Amino acid sequence: MQPAQLLALLAAGEPLPGEGLAAQAGVTRAAIWKQVEALRARGVPIEARGAAGYQLPWPLQMLDATQIRAALPASTLSALGALEVHWELDSTSSELQRRGATAKDFSIVLAETQTAGRGRRGRRWLSPPGLNLYLSCLKRFDQGFAALSGLSLALGVIVLRTLENLGMAGAGLKWPNDVLAVAADKRPAGKLGGILVELSGEYQGPCAAIIGIGLNLRLTPALRTQAGQPACDLATLAGGTPPDRNRVAAVLVEALIEGLRQFERDGFAGFVDDYARHDLLRDQPLQLSGVLGAFDAIGAGVDARGALQVRMADGSVRQIDSAEVTVRRP
């Protein structure tokens, strides 16, 4: 029995005896135990219930491409270049990169787990099986890189639209591409998701963007510790139970295709108002550090290109467009 098969059997959240699992798979109980330990090592919180067997603390849904497609409107289906669900990849973005020129526009790849998921600045993105969402999308543009200013910010808006379409509130955006939960006092309460955009092609065009999105649906205490920074999940926003993973995937795919078409037509200008509505840095005291040195300022929104604007102590406004700058709220 492979880890994917074992997780699918445990997904209902009911206890399953190790002896029965071994008999069903035609293996020893020791082999089942090894697969349980392999899933635990990946971050899946499988509990041992004595004679009752192994059990997850709550049900989960395995990703299913057929279910995701069935939830998409015809206009979205007609635009899809591909929609694939894999058990394990190094990363969904790397998989699209390997396809190169053969990948069609709006090709989308999801994985239950990643062995080398990555975030901004090469940071590792934790990717336990079955708990969260790891998705990458290929979008081709006739324009060059310069026309894609603000794309990562627009994608943040697209993720927030996804959450709103799922009926979820309590999230906001931190420049340049973090999706954060928001506490009652409007302060950031942990990272919900991240966005990584990788460009290839010609400066004057055409070019392509591979867009990686990670979204936390469920985080265990151990995963929160491993994250190394405050983190949150949709289960918390939803009062304990996150939306069905296949539904989240379908709503995100639909929002991506609609939103990227809008960006192709209007650029970041089509997202400025929505970004301002969700901007967690606007009018807040900030501490900035990086290639420009370290200084304090007040957030002043973003400009038409998606650059962060900050108001200095003398009242002047400074534009920050380097992704190498670290921005914090004290």
Side-chain angles (χ1 to χ4, degrees), residues 97-179:
Q97 287 173 345
R98 286 189 287 268
R99 309 288 175 89
T102 65
K104 296 180 180 178
D105 198 27
F106 286 125
S107 289
I108 291 177
V109 172
L110 301 100
E112 286 285 1
T113 183
Q114 301 178 119
T115 59
R118 59 188 184 272
R120 195 162 68 97
R121 301 187 190 175
R123 295 189 181 101
R124 182 185 174 210
W125 188 268
L126 295 175
S127 307
L131 304 185
N132 304 315
L133 200 66
Y134 324 113
L135 173 153
S136 291
C137 172
L138 171 70
K139 179 69 187 86
R140 300 192 184 280
F141 295 92
D142 292 332
Q143 312 101 310
F145 297 159
L148 303 189
S149 294
L151 176 58
S152 65
L153 280 71
L155 288 161
V157 171
I158 289 170
V159 173
L160 265 293
R161 290 175 179 174
T162 298
L163 299 184
E164 289 177 340
N165 290 340
L166 289 166
M168 307 196 71
L173 298 172
K174 175 181 176 288
W175 185 92
N177 56 5
D178 284 344
V179 181

Side-chain angles (χ1 to χ4, degrees), residues 8-22:
L9 289 173
L10 293 170
E14 299 295 329
L16 296 176
E19 184 176 348
L21 289 168

Side-chain angles (χ1 to χ4, degrees), residues 196-264:
L196 180 67
V197 180
E198 297 170 291
L199 301 178
S200 63
E202 302 295 330
Y203 184 80
Q204 298 295 334
C207 68
I210 293 179
I211 298 153
I213 297 175
L215 192 59
N216 297 330
L217 273 71
R218 279 198 186 274
L219 293 176
T220 64
L223 288 169
R224 291 175 189 267
T225 299
Q226 290 179 50
Q229 62 178 308
C232 195
D233 56 20
L234 297 192
T236 301
L237 265 59
T241 302
D244 180 283
R245 288 175 76 224
N246 287 299
R247 180 171 175 239
V248 175
V251 174
L252 177 57
V253 168
E254 183 179 357
L256 269 172
I257 290 179
E258 289 182 358
L260 287 169
R261 282 173 161 172
Q262 180 185 5
F263 185 88
E264 192 170 31

Side-chain angles (χ1 to χ4, degrees), residues 2 35 52 58 62 72 102 147 154 169-170 176 184 186 194 198 209 242 252 278 293:
Q2 297 300 310
Q35 296 295 1
W58 15 249
M62 303 295 287
L72 295 174
T102 65
K186 301 302 182 181
E198 297 170 291
L252 177 57
H278 299 296

Side-chain angles (χ1 to χ4, degrees), residues 301-316:
V302 299
D303 68 12
R305 300 176 298 110
L308 176 67
Q309 299 186 126
V310 296
R311 184 168 290 104
M312 307 300 290
D314 62 3
S316 64

